[in-house]
Amino acid sequence: SHRQAWASQTQEFGRATAAVQWRIAELLLAKAKSLSRIRPAGRRQYPLPMATQIATPTDAACIRTLSMARTVAGCDQSKMKADWLPVGQAVRQAPGDCDWSPGLRATDAVTRTLMLDMWAPGLYSKPRCSRGVRDGREVDWDDGNCGGRSCWHWGGRMQRQLELPQTQATSPAELGGPGRQPQAPLVRQLGREAAATQPQADHVVDGLRLPGRPRHSRCLPAAAPPTPQASLYAPSVAAAGAAVVNVDVRPPAAGVQTACCNDIESAGQGGEPQPEAAQVHDALRQVEFRTKPQLHRTFNRNLLDRVFALTFDLISTDIVDAVADEIHPVQPVRAGALPGAASVEAAAPGGRRGCRRQLVADWLTDVLMVLLHPSRRGDGHRSDDCDEDCDAEEASEHQQLGAVAMGSCRQSMLACQEKRSGVVKEEMQAGLRNFFVAEELCAVHLLTILLIVTSATGIAASGGLRRRLPQALIIGAKKSGTRALLAFSALHPAVRAAGPEAHFFDRHFRRGLRWYRRRMPRSRPAQLTLEKTPAYLVDPKVPVRVRQMNPEMKLVLLVRDPVTRAMSDYAQAVDNAARRGRPPPPPFEQLAFVRRPDGNLTVNTAWSPVRIGRYAEHLSRWLDQFPRNQILVLSAERLV
Ligand SMILES: Nc1ncnc2c1ncn2[C@@H]1O[C@H](COP(=O)(O)OS(=O)(=O)O)[C@@H](OP(=O)(O)O)[C@H]1O
């Protein structure tokens, strides 16, 4: 049931992401239209730098392709556009048609226009199939609705072309003819699985109509990448229903491959080997057992590599302002809209424009810092090495030296965190400086980054992302499944959970709210920040302190059968002793009972594992400070 819950939560997360992607797609589309107006004639040409594909398996749409292309000299643009929109139409059929065929030699022709358009099954519902020649034989070109005939995929072909140096003549074999070995069986398998399921009805997400999957779709959710460049999102996300973004940017260095769509292409070929069921199951098993934080970490690593691999050779001064304007509705980057903007503007070399560029860079640094650096995230999991080191150190030193050592440990942990985040920030800034190496910014690149970033979070880029004090606390009880409850809750996109127990109200109260806030994950205004420290339940000082901070605080108390809870507590103590090489504690019975003066045995309520289980006693202190309707009491047995 926990897996099912996870799947449905992830589905929801994916739907939110899909809606965001649509919004960004619209922005990008609008941007594309304006780009041709912005760029004055005679300016630097745009080589074709990238193709972006957005696949949204959550809404079962086949693929929404958002692509940028150049027209070829002599190309009739009206035909080009008509050919462009549905996937598949790629063969020169008459002189003057736009030619994306395998024999295309015109890749070094001058780029005339930057053209960008979006394909969506809902917008172009009629199947478009046509005949074309490939490898000397006639084949069907398919937009995914050709009734299962052997077809080629436009997306894959296009991608192949992008990988080739501009001056290199392309031959069918180079472009991946039928004789070529398929590269990623898993991709095809997942694709076939997807295609085997029934088409789904159109539906509306966030005011946008999202079409159901076409019956014979060959468009695939992103799947296991054969190379690190293949996909930013691991297949687990796709299979779990979250949205997927594949962004391929033609790398500047020769020999670096962008493999994203090759697999889609090979999936369209007839005669491919049948998938092996075991492999599919293996893949799906992996999917099920992954957790959201793990996904984020995988995603972020790939994203980091990708972002730093970007270098921008396409640049137009005029675009910078347009970009800032375009992003504005998504995230305020205008001068004056950000804290400290006035001083940045005054100091920025290059005046207002330089300032704006600086602001964009700063903003991106900030966003990337949050998204990419695990120690700054707080995914509900402990992810900071500094913290982990310290906890281990803290535990042993605490035993040997007492509380003083704890303070110094915390200090060294904080120093360690500072140092690490400083290094990361420098690295990121250096990476971003490369973006501006030619002192300009390409609109489409920036929007692509936004696209990636919003996909990573699943949340629109609007709104202030910052650390907030918790609005809800899991106050206990220890060993009642509080970690599980926190982790489940954190799966919800509207919940951000602090990873390690903060112990603010019991141990670290003197450090102040600033310290506490710094322990919280960054969140958006609509998100709820949740912290759990089970020790809060039993410390008599805590309820008053919590009320002082926030009388509206929501409190969650998870209670477990006090006997099994005590045993769990005791088991942990035994385990800890063994891990630290200390002698085991006395037997449970010996600790749990004391002999009364009259010689009879009685329960030792002073022993912590027993004392913690006296829930009514602890709860009455909380009820002195908070109304009953702010306290949610859950049964651990029923929950887990
Ligand atoms: N999902 C799920 N299903 C069943 N049981 C679960 C689950 N998650 C945690 N647990 C059990 O909860 C116990 C740990 O509780 P806590 O997370 O509150 O521990 S702690 O206070 O944070 O140390 C611990 O109990 P014991 O195994 O009896 O020690 C865990 O096994």
Side-chain angles (χ1 to χ4, degrees), residues 110-127:
V110 176
T111 304
R112 301 286 177 213
T113 315
L114 186 68
M115 198 181 91
L116 195 145
D117 219 321
M118 179 167 61
W119 175 80
L123 298 177
Y124 308 99
S125 55
K126 282 195 176 170

Side-chain angles (χ1 to χ4, degrees), residues 225-421:
T227 70
Q229 285 85 15
S231 169
L232 291 175
Y233 241 158
S236 35
V237 178
V244 174
V245 171
N246 286 336
V247 177
D248 268 276
V249 177
R250 193 173 80 166
V256 183
Q257 285 216 333
T258 55
C260 154
C261 292
N262 300 347
D263 306 326
I264 294 177
E265 180 183 22
S266 57
Q269 299 180 28
E272 67 222 58
Q274 288 301 307
E276 284 170 32
Q279 268 179 289
V280 175
H281 287 138
D282 266 3
L284 293 176
R285 233 192 358 256
Q286 283 175 16
V287 165
E288 284 180 14
F289 286 101
R290 286 196 185 192
T291 61
K292 190 174 92 167
Q294 281 172 318
L295 286 177
H296 272 144
R297 276 200 287 278
T298 311
F299 178 86
N300 290 339
R301 260 201 308 279
N302 292 343
L303 176 60
L304 190 61
D305 291 347
R306 182 61 68 99
V307 165
F308 287 150
L310 297 179
T311 39
F312 296 147
D313 57 351
L314 296 191
I315 311 288
S316 158
T317 314
D318 307 317
I319 292 175
V320 175
D321 280 352
V323 169
D325 289 343
E326 199 65 64
I327 295 169
H328 181 66
V330 181
Q331 177 76 24
V333 294
R334 282 180 208 279
L338 294 178
S343 54
V344 174
E345 184 164 359
R352 189 177 159 73
R353 177 170 288 161
C355 164
R356 185 170 279 198
R357 201 174 301 128
Q358 181 66 46
L359 288 172
V360 173
D362 287 351
W363 171 71
L364 275 175
T365 309
D366 196 42
V367 172
L368 291 172
M369 283 292 286
V370 174
L371 290 172
L372 303 182
H373 187 33
S375 73
R376 292 183 158 252
R377 288 182 49 81
D379 275 315
H381 274 243
R382 190 173 295 225
S383 55
D384 190 333
D385 294 347
C386 295
D387 214 5
E388 261 167 7
D389 292 344
C390 182
D391 277 359
E393 193 189 329
E394 181 179 277
S396 64
E397 283 190 359
H398 187 47
Q399 293 297 326
Q400 294 160 12
L401 306 172
V404 180
M406 259 170 71
S408 74
C409 173
R410 282 284 169 201
Q411 272 172 13
S412 67
M413 179 191 80
L414 290 176
C416 166
Q417 282 179 339
E418 280 303 306
K419 195 168 140 206
R420 282 184 194 204
S421 66

Side-chain angles (χ1 to χ4, degrees), residues 574-617:
V574 173
D575 193 43
N576 286 346
R579 277 197 291 120
R580 290 167 197 161
R582 286 193 279 115
F588 181 85
E589 295 84 345
Q590 200 175 315
L591 294 166
F593 299 98
V594 283
R595 199 164 291 280
R596 282 200 309 226
D598 62 6
N600 290 327
L601 283 179
T602 186
V603 174
N604 180 6
T605 51
W607 186 44
S608 164
V610 172
R611 190 170 54 87
I612 292 173
R614 291 160 67 90
Y615 304 128
E617 198 178 284

Side-chain angles (χ1 to χ4, degrees), residues 418-620:
E418 280 303 306
K419 195 168 140 206
R420 282 184 194 204
S421 66
V423 170
V424 172
K425 188 157 187 169
E426 271 171 31
E427 281 170 10
M428 290 197 172
Q429 279 171 340
L432 281 167
R433 270 197 295 278
N434 288 339
F435 291 174
F436 303 96
V437 76
E439 300 218 324
E440 297 298 345
L441 178 68
C442 169
V444 181
H445 282 121
L446 184 52
L447 284 164
T448 301
I449 295 166
L450 270 176
L451 200 84
I452 302 170
V453 163
T454 51
S455 301
T457 57
I459 297 157
S462 58
L465 189 66
R466 63 182 182 84
R467 297 182 197 282
R468 288 160 219 276
L469 291 169
Q471 300 99 347
L473 292 178
I474 298 175
I475 56 172
K478 187 183 173 198
K479 309 311 295 174
S480 299
T482 52
R483 170 64 56 191
L485 177 61
L486 188 82
F488 297 157
S489 309
L491 291 174
H492 196 284
V495 175
R496 299 289 287 134
E501 291 173 13
H503 283 282
F504 173 65
F505 295 103
D506 56 338
R507 286 191 211 155
H508 301 298
F509 195 61
R510 292 215 183 136
R511 292 175 187 256
L513 290 178
R514 202 159 156 251
W515 180 92
Y516 190 33
R517 194 195 301 273
R518 280 214 308 271
R519 254 105 221 115
M520 295 302 118
R522 289 179 198 252
S523 62
R524 307 211 174 262
Q527 289 177 310
L528 177 130
T529 302
L530 181 64
E531 193 247 317
K532 81 117 186 167
T533 301
Y536 291 162
L537 175 70
V538 293
D539 189 322
K541 300 185 293 297
V542 172
V544 180
R545 291 174 172 178
V546 173
R547 188 172 55 84
Q548 278 170 358
M549 186 189 95
N550 179 8
E552 309 284 306
M553 184 75 86
K554 303 284 186 300
L555 305 163
V556 182
L557 173 62
L558 195 54
V559 289
R560 181 179 180 183
D561 176 318
V563 177
T564 49
R565 200 219 65 80
M567 289 163 74
S568 170
D569 214 344
Y570 174 77
Q572 188 183 32
V574 173
D575 193 43
N576 286 346
R579 277 197 291 120
R580 290 167 197 161
R582 286 193 279 115
F588 181 85
E589 295 84 345
Q590 200 175 315
L591 294 166
F593 299 98
V594 283
R595 199 164 291 280
R596 282 200 309 226
D598 62 6
N600 290 327
L601 283 179
T602 186
V603 174
N604 180 6
T605 51
W607 186 44
S608 164
V610 172
R611 190 170 54 87
I612 292 173
R614 291 160 67 90
Y615 304 128
E617 198 178 284
H618 309 307
L619 198 52
S620 70

Side-chain angles (χ1 to χ4, degrees), residues 153-165:
H153 233 293
W154 172 87
R157 296 194 42 68
M158 190 62 209
Q159 202 70 25
R160 279 289 164 87
Q161 286 185 347
L162 300 187
E163 287 167 25
L164 296 170

